[in-house]
Amino acid sequence: MADQIINRVANSKLVTIDLEDYYPEGKRVLFDIKDWLFQELVLKEKDFRGYIKNHDWSQYKNQYVSITCSADAIIPDWAFMLLVVNLEPFVEKCHIGSLKELETSIYQDIINAIDGKIYQDKPVIIKGCSNKPVPINAYVMITNRLKPFAKSIMYGEACSFVPLFKR
């Protein structure tokens, strides 16, 4: 069969990374402490510690929690630290900031754990377009992580990609 179709992409050394594959399942929760402030403005230590003592922290089991204060209040650093101490036994990850920042932090941990050596001298394509909320920062982080190892880095799909880096 001289007209046999050959899948050159499948037979190539091209490695595809889909950041969506790394997306950890689990509920993302925004924990806003404004309701624990006096008139949503002032943190009273005794009251704050009382809220912490009486709160059911187990409700956050296996969740990703981002702590914030949506009120225009000055919150001492130790208050966030105290919240983390109570959340840590239950949560997958705890972060201070927005849910978007939490997602970036989750991916930062994941990408930092990737062994870049397995991509040594290989052409790598970072798949774009995902159905899960992969933050744009994750694409930047994976590019930085792979650049010392990969022969080349591209973005997109094997059939249509944007070259980013070539050694």
Side-chain angles (χ1 to χ4, degrees):
M1 265 180 105
D3 294 346
Q4 184 179 9
I5 297 173
I6 298 171
N7 186 341
R8 292 191 337 216
V9 173
N11 294 333
S12 75
K13 294 181 181 181
L14 183 65
V15 179
T16 300
I17 296 175
D18 187 349
L19 290 174
E20 188 175 60
D21 292 342
Y22 292 94
Y23 183 84
E25 295 303 323
K27 187 175 180 183
R28 274 63 167 169
V29 177
L30 188 64
F31 186 97
D32 191 346
I33 64 172
K34 79 172 174 120
D35 296 331
W36 289 7
L37 303 176
F38 176 70
Q39 296 182 346
E40 295 185 354
L41 289 173
V42 178
L43 186 142
K44 290 185 174 180
E45 183 177 353
K46 185 177 179 180
D47 294 344
F48 190 75
R49 287 184 180 273
Y51 290 128
I52 286 174
K53 183 179 178 185
N54 296 319
H55 192 71
D56 177 16
W57 298 103
S58 67
Q59 67 182 300
Y60 304 102
K61 187 173 175 82
N62 301 324
Q63 297 180 10
Y64 296 86
V65 178
S66 192
I67 302 169
T68 191
C69 180
S70 61
D72 190 19
I74 298 171
I75 309 298
D77 295 344
W78 62 261
F80 292 105
M81 296 164 69
L82 190 57
L83 290 167
V84 170
V85 166
N86 286 275
L87 280 164
E88 188 274 328
F90 301 101
V91 300
E92 289 294 319
K93 182 170 183 70
C94 194
H95 182 79
I96 307 299
S98 68
L99 288 173
K100 190 174 182 178
E101 292 166 332
L102 170 66
E103 209 64 58
T104 296
S105 179
I106 291 168
Y107 266 95
Q108 186 171 23
D109 293 345
I110 292 166
I111 290 168
N112 285 342
I114 292 174
D115 181 7
K117 292 176 189 168
I118 63 174
Y119 300 101
Q120 188 70 49
D121 299 322
K122 293 183 181 175
V124 177
I125 189 161
I126 301 167
K127 187 175 181 249
C129 302
S130 61
N131 295 317
K132 296 182 179 174
V134 177
I136 186 67
N137 281 334
Y139 292 97
V140 172
M141 290 183 280
I142 193 69
T143 303
N144 282 331
R145 181 80 179 121
L146 298 178
K147 191 171 179 257
F149 304 100
K151 179 180 176 182
S152 62
I153 301 173
M154 297 154 280
Y155 174 81
E157 301 287 338
C159 61
S160 93
F161 59 84
V162 177
L164 302 173
F165 163 79
K166 187 169 185 169
R167 188 185 322 266

